[in-house]
């Protein structure tokens, strides 16, 4: 099975749900590979995104930690100039399996059980409420093991505290301290995440993580970065621009994200050095300016005094 887009032929393969279980007319839901920014499978209801599995990280999709090697089928995600596609193929050819987009929007992998003469559910990528698209708003993470499930990322606070208190998380969170592109800005490391929506992103598959950080640091509009491929020692560069949306937190096996922060909000030793440097710059500049003003004032007063003495013949 191959789902994706061929840029040469223009052919796109995607799923569309039935209108109902007994009506094969096109329904409301469809799944496709979204090619805006970096690339990810999404499910839409009409034109609205209702679920995204996240970007491919070299081993699996970021939002599908349960997608693991198994004895039934293998899978891969291919990105090239010619085409982009997700593909799976059977390892055990005696097994029958299929992917179905149900009329209610559920994406299901089914296995045929011959002894029962029926299709049974093997897995579904969408697990719980935290898989709903942007349920918590910008700069938040959704954690199904907490109550409430939505919380601000470290260094952020509710945009509307009143709405937040009554479990309306739609406005999400905002920075506790705003960015202003000053020299001391750095990045905090967040772990075990489903990476944010990547519609407003840029990627390079060959850069190192260090090169990726430098590129993000040079661009004041860059809000976060990470590797595109976490296999081995890691490779590639993925940059985000704008708000970070649709993050969820896993207990384990999630991805790493480096988010741009002001000097006062940095929490690592390395970043603290940058923060201290930034603070030193902010302190030194005003002090130097004050000293300069004092020296200029002394020079002017001295010149005035000498001129006055000459005028008086002293």
């Amino acid at each position: 099975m191959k789902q994706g887009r061929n840029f040469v032929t223009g052919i796109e393969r995607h799923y569309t749900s039935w209108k109902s279980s007994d009506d094969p007319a096109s329904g409301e839901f469809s799944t496709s590979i979204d090619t805006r920014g970096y690339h990810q499978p999404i499910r839409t209801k009409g034109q609205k995104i209702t679920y995204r599995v996240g970007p491919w990280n070299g081993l699996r999709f970021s939002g599908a930690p349960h997608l693991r090697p198994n004895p039934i089928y293998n899978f891969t995600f291919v990105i090239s100039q010619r085409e982009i596609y997700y593909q799976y193929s059977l390892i055990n050819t005696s097994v029958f399996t299929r992917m179905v987009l149900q009329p209610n929007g559920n994406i299901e992998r089914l296995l045929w059980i011959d002894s029962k003469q029926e299709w049974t559910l093997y897995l579904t990528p969408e697990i719980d409420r935290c898989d709903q698209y942007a349920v918590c708003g910008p700069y938040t993470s959704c954690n199904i093991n907490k109550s409430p499930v939505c919380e601000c990322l470290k260094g952020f606070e509710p945009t509307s505290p009143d709405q937040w208190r009554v479990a309306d998380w739609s406005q999400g969170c905002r920075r506790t301290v705003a960015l202003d592109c000053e020299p001391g800005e750095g990045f905090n490391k967040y772990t075990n995440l489903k990476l944010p929506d990547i519609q407003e992103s840029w990627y390079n598959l060959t850069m190192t993580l260090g090169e990726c950080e430098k590129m993000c640091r040079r661009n004041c509009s860059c809000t976060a970065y990470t590797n595109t491929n976490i296999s081995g020692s890691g490779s590639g560069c993925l940059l985000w621009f704008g708000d970070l949306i649709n993050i969820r937190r896993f207990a384990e096996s999630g991805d790493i994200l480096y988010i741009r922060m002001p000097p006062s909000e940095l929490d690592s030793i390395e970043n603290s050095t940058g923060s201290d440097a930034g603070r030193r710059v902010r302190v030194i500049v005003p002090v130097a300016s004050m000293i300069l003003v004092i020296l200029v004032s002394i020079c002017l007063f001295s010149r005035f005094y000498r001129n006055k003495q000459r005028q008086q013949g002293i």
Side-chain angles (χ1 to χ4, degrees):
M1 193 286 301
K2 190 174 181 179
Q3 179 187 10
R5 178 177 297 179
N6 188 306
F7 299 116
V8 177
T9 63
I11 294 175
E12 181 186 6
R13 296 180 176 90
H14 61 273
Y15 293 95
T16 300
S17 67
W18 282 16
K19 192 171 184 179
S20 67
S21 58
D22 56 3
D23 185 350
S26 295
E28 295 182 294
F29 296 93
S30 64
T31 64
S32 61
I33 305 297
D34 188 358
T35 56
R36 290 171 290 185
Y38 198 38
H39 316 293
Q40 61 183 346
I42 59 171
R43 182 191 63 204
T44 55
K45 183 178 183 181
Q47 299 297 316
K48 183 180 179 181
I49 297 177
T50 56
Y51 169 69
R52 51 178 285 273
V53 73
W56 181 258
N57 63 16
L59 300 177
R60 61 185 179 274
F61 294 110
S62 178
H66 56 278
L67 187 62
R68 302 173 183 271
N70 62 81
I72 298 174
Y73 65 95
N74 55 32
F75 50 87
T76 187
F77 191 71
V78 174
I79 301 174
S80 70
Q81 292 184 343
R82 179 183 176 85
E83 59 183 337
I84 296 171
Y85 62 89
Y86 170 66
Q87 185 176 44
Y88 71 84
S89 55
L90 286 174
I91 298 173
N92 185 345
T93 56
S94 64
V95 174
F96 292 93
T97 181
R98 61 189 178 122
M99 289 288 290
V100 178
L101 178 59
Q102 299 288 6
N104 62 2
N106 288 347
I107 306 167
E108 299 177 350
R109 176 173 290 282
L110 304 174
L111 293 181
W112 177 255
I113 306 301
D114 198 52
S115 61
K116 297 181 179 179
Q117 291 291 292
E118 65 181 20
W119 292 98
T120 61
L121 179 65
Y122 181 71
L123 65 80
T124 179
E126 192 173 9
I127 302 170
D128 51 47
R129 188 182 183 190
C130 284
D131 280 324
Q132 295 176 22
Y133 183 75
V135 66
C136 296
Y139 297 112
T140 64
S141 65
C142 189
N143 188 339
I144 200 64
N145 296 317
K146 288 192 174 184
S147 181
V149 294
C150 295
E151 60 183 356
C152 293
L153 295 172
K154 184 179 179 181
F156 297 82
E157 61 186 7
T159 302
S160 174
D162 291 339
Q163 292 184 10
W164 192 270
R165 280 191 288 270
V166 294
D168 179 357
W169 306 300
S170 57
Q171 293 190 44
C173 299
R174 62 187 176 191
R175 293 181 180 277
T176 305
V177 179
L179 294 174
D180 61 5
C181 203
E182 58 184 294
E185 288 178 359
F187 300 89
N188 281 348
K189 181 179 180 179
Y190 299 76
T191 59
N192 290 324
L193 301 181
K194 173 184 179 179
L195 295 176
D197 195 1
I198 50 178
Q199 293 181 58
E200 296 184 24
S201 66
W202 177 91
Y203 71 96
N204 179 291
L205 300 180
T206 61
M207 292 172 64
T208 66
L209 189 64
E211 292 170 335
C212 192
E213 178 186 353
K214 289 178 182 177
M215 178 167 282
C216 189
R217 191 182 292 272
R218 288 196 301 264
N219 189 327
C220 295
S221 299
C222 181
T223 50
Y225 75 93
T226 193
N227 278 140
T228 55
N229 192 328
I230 65 171
S231 63
S233 58
S235 63
C237 176
L238 179 56
L239 305 181
W240 279 264
F241 301 89
D243 293 344
L244 304 178
I245 300 173
N246 194 216
I247 298 172
R248 75 169 293 169
R249 192 176 295 276
F250 298 109
E252 59 181 3
S253 301
D255 284 296
I256 295 172
L257 183 67
Y258 300 88
I259 300 179
R260 191 185 204 105
M261 301 298 291
S264 61
E265 297 296 314
L266 297 175
D267 55 22
S268 71
I269 295 175
E270 179 180 338
N271 285 336
S272 294
T273 303
S275 176
D276 291 341
R279 283 193 291 269
R280 285 197 296 272
V281 169
R282 293 196 299 275
V283 171
I284 290 171
V285 170
V287 171
S289 300
M290 185 180 299
I291 292 173
L292 181 61
V293 170
I294 292 172
L295 289 174
V296 170
S297 299
I298 291 172
C299 290
L300 291 173
F301 178 79
S302 176
R303 180 177 296 177
F304 173 78
Y305 182 74
R306 287 197 301 270
N307 289 338
K308 186 175 181 180
Q309 283 182 321
R310 282 198 296 270
Q311 290 172 359
Q312 294 175 349
I314 299 175

